[in-house]
Amino acid sequence: GSSSSSYQYDVTFHHNYYYKCGSRLPFTRNSNFHIYNCYYYASTGTNMQIYNTAYAFIENCYFDNTNKTFTTSNNGVIKLYNNIVNSTSYVGASSTVVYASTRDEEVTNTCTNKSTTSGDSAAGTSYVNFDTDSTLFYYDSENNKSDVTRMDDAADVKTVVPQLAGAGLMTLSEYEEAGAVKLTLGSSVGTYTENSTEYSAYRVVGMLTNVDDSYVSAATIQLSIETETKAGVTSSKQYDVTTLYKSLTKNGSTICAEADGTYYFYFNIYGLTEAYDGYSFTVTANVNINDELLSKTLDTYTISLGEAETTYIAFEEVTSDVTKSTEYSNYTINATSEKKVSVSSLSSSLQFDLNGETITSGIALGGVGAQTYRNVEFTVSDNATIKVYYNGGETRYLALYDSSYTKLEQATGTTGTSVVQNYTYSTVSAGTYYIASAGSGIQVYAIVIEYN
């Protein structure tokens, strides 16, 4: 409601993802509100505010580590049903916050439309049954449930909603078409070299999304790889990977890893030599999960052999203070006028060679970083290790952060400005990453992304 005297609105929120928001999720007055299948993660203020004779029916939502989850005022009423609440503080049961044990449980008798607008036919309407009265709400009285197209269980919301919510992600129709899990396959760009003439492997990457351990523990994967020579001769090989788990390895390589409900599996085609350059191959994956078969065939890929790719980030092109987010050749420096990033020169005795270039300067990160300032942002296109060169006058720590600015790994502390240290972070997958100080000021001179 736009004000305490504005009556009355019928509003639905569903399958929304609120990630580390402050408050007003929603702040509503004088409305008949239905909220279902929303995922609230780490809200920092007052999560949901229902005021001024607003009636909110909230069902099958997931409140994950939220602060001040529910508040009501001036005859605002919340009816909760089948939600999961993991909160640091939330309002308990009261006359205005009802934890319903059945779907058709009535709320307080003070619920009426208090409109004073002349001629308003809704004035005085009882909202005791605001969510079960078919004249006020889309209620399926025969099946005793909200009459909506899709209603997920609260326990599934934490996994389902991040897959659906947000620009550029899977649409609802695509998600429903994919079923309980989604299988995708891709092929890495990099190749793997043992020496100048012999190439050891070509990697195929697959993903299973919207899965958890209960699915994965019963999964089997079968990959069929068919290689066709330029002369049209084909050869086929079939691989079986059973009982898929995190950190499962084959031939010494990790072929499965889990992150945020997505399982990545990798398969290497071994024994490729220079003679295979220019050949094509296709991969078919058949995944059996709880008696459900998912099958996906790659587009045809052409093998292009070469040395493993390495990306070098040096800061010679940074010649003055950076006071706003600025893109450079293969990275971005994020900064503000108050939290700037400045140039840090290296004495001649500390200068070092990297990929045929002498590193003579770097950047100074003046203090602890954040997603919008005092960091170096870059993109990794496939599985890779990240090596940094750095130093600091006192014991300081340089950290690697993911796209949500969650710290993944911290480098060894600095030992003074008389030496340039280096540290290699653990292998990461494709995505956006940040290098920033985990505390006080520190200097960074180069970053090397080596694909593996």
Side-chain angles (χ1 to χ4, degrees):
S2 58
S3 72
S4 297
S5 60
S6 295
Y7 298 87
Q8 173 148 20
Y9 306 95
D10 297 314
V11 183
T12 298
F13 281 0
H14 72 94
H15 291 93
N16 293 299
Y17 183 17
Y18 301 99
Y19 182 81
K20 294 185 179 180
C21 296
S23 57
R24 297 173 177 259
L25 308 174
F27 180 111
T28 181
R29 293 174 284 212
N30 306 308
S31 62
N32 183 4
F33 220 109
H34 187 208
I35 303 172
Y36 67 93
N37 284 168
C38 290
Y39 180 40
Y40 302 81
Y41 179 75
S43 308
T44 57
T46 302
N47 196 80
M48 191 174 291
Q49 299 149 286
I50 310 298
Y51 293 172
N52 291 92
T53 326
Y55 314 105
F57 177 53
I58 304 167
E59 62 177 337
N60 289 346
C61 290
Y62 197 117
F63 299 87
D64 195 3
N65 194 30
T66 54
N67 181 58
K68 297 180 182 177
T69 307
F70 314 112
T71 61
T72 59
S73 177
N74 194 17
N75 294 318
V77 173
I78 297 174
K79 178 178 172 180
L80 299 157
Y81 182 66
N82 277 349
N83 299 285
I84 293 176
V85 181
N86 171 25
S87 174
T88 55
S89 63
Y90 62 95
V91 177
S94 68
S95 60
T96 57
V97 179
V98 178
Y99 291 82
S101 57
T102 63
R103 174 62 180 76
D104 54 1
E105 184 173 332
E106 291 184 358
V107 296
T108 174
N109 287 323
T110 62
C111 294
T112 56
N113 187 326
K114 294 178 172 57
S115 174
T116 57
T117 303
S118 176
D120 188 349
S121 60
T125 300
S126 172
Y127 276 79
V128 172
N129 295 314
F130 74 98
D131 60 325
T132 58
D133 184 339
S134 60
T135 66
L136 303 173
F137 197 95
Y138 42 86
Y139 178 62
D140 181 353
S141 56
E142 181 178 348
N143 296 299
N144 195 36
K145 65 180 183 178
S146 299
D147 186 16
V148 298
T149 302
R150 177 193 181 92
M151 178 75 74
D152 291 292
D153 291 338
D156 295 331
V157 166
K158 183 176 182 178
T159 300
V160 170
V161 171
Q163 298 285 342
L164 303 179
L169 299 182
M170 208 186 312
T171 65
L172 183 59
S173 60
E174 288 173 337
Y175 178 87
E176 291 174 336
E177 183 180 347
V181 293
K182 183 176 178 65
L183 168 66
T184 56
L185 291 175
S187 178
S188 64
V189 176
T191 54
Y192 308 89
T193 308
E194 292 181 349
N195 53 54
S196 60
T197 59
E198 187 172 344
Y199 300 84
S200 60
Y202 200 97
R203 174 162 288 185
V204 178
V205 182
M207 291 189 300
L208 287 169
T209 52
N210 191 32
V211 294
D212 57 27
D213 285 337
S214 65
Y215 284 117
V216 172
S217 61
T220 62
I221 291 182
Q222 181 187 82
L223 292 177
S224 299
I225 301 175
E226 183 174 281
T227 304
E228 181 176 352
T229 69
K230 298 174 194 177
V233 178
T234 62
S235 60
S236 299
K237 189 168 185 178
Q238 195 171 85
Y239 302 89
D240 288 301
V241 182
T242 58
T243 315
L244 182 63
Y245 283 109
K246 305 172 193 176
S247 301
L248 184 66
T249 61
K250 187 178 181 70
N251 293 334
S253 298
T254 298
I255 62 170
C256 181
E258 185 270 345
D260 300 327
T262 297
Y263 283 77
Y264 300 85
F265 57 91
Y266 314 99
F267 207 91
N268 292 331
I269 305 173
Y270 287 91
L272 295 181
T273 64
E274 196 172 32
Y276 283 89
D277 193 21
Y279 291 12
S280 62
F281 70 91
T282 58
V283 177
T284 299
N286 295 311
V287 180
N288 287 284
I289 297 181
N290 295 347
D291 297 324
E292 179 183 2
L293 175 64
L294 295 174
S295 183
K296 185 77 173 181
T297 301
L298 278 167
D299 293 333
T300 299
Y301 284 86
T302 300
I303 299 172
S304 178
L305 298 176
E307 293 186 359
E309 183 182 352
T310 302
T311 298
Y312 297 91
I313 295 176
F315 303 103
E316 300 291 326
E317 57 191 317
V318 182
T319 58
S320 59
D321 290 349
V322 182
T323 57
K324 63 179 181 180
S325 293
T326 305
E327 291 186 13
Y328 293 93
S329 55
N330 52 8
Y331 62 96
T332 296
I333 293 179
N334 292 306
T336 68
S337 57
E338 295 182 349
K339 299 181 186 299
K340 65 183 180 180
V341 173
S342 56
V343 177
S344 177
S345 298
L346 270 173
S347 64
S348 57
S349 62
L350 293 180
Q351 293 174 9
F352 60 97
D353 290 333
L354 186 68
N355 192 35
E357 177 183 0
T358 300
I359 304 301
T360 62
S361 65
I363 56 174
L365 305 175
V368 62
Q371 196 159 15
T372 55
Y373 57 80
R374 288 177 180 159
N375 68 59
V376 182
E377 177 183 349
F378 52 91
T379 299
V380 173
S381 61
D382 200 355
N383 302 305
T385 56
I386 298 169
K387 187 176 184 178
V388 292
Y389 293 80
Y390 61 102
N391 68 11
E394 299 178 20
T395 303
R396 305 286 169 78
Y397 297 94
L398 198 63
L400 176 69
Y401 298 82
D402 66 12
S403 59
S404 300
Y405 214 76
T406 299
K407 185 163 69 171
L408 302 177
E409 188 175 346
Q410 189 166 279
T412 305
T414 58
T415 58
T417 57
S418 61
V419 62
V420 174
Q421 299 172 234
N422 65 76
Y423 181 87
T424 301
Y425 298 101
S426 302
T427 298
V428 298
S429 57
T432 298
Y433 294 90
Y434 300 85
I435 292 289
S437 172
S440 302
I442 194 169
Q443 289 72 246
V444 186
Y445 299 105
I447 301 172
V448 178
I449 306 167
E450 187 169 357
Y451 292 95
N452 53 16

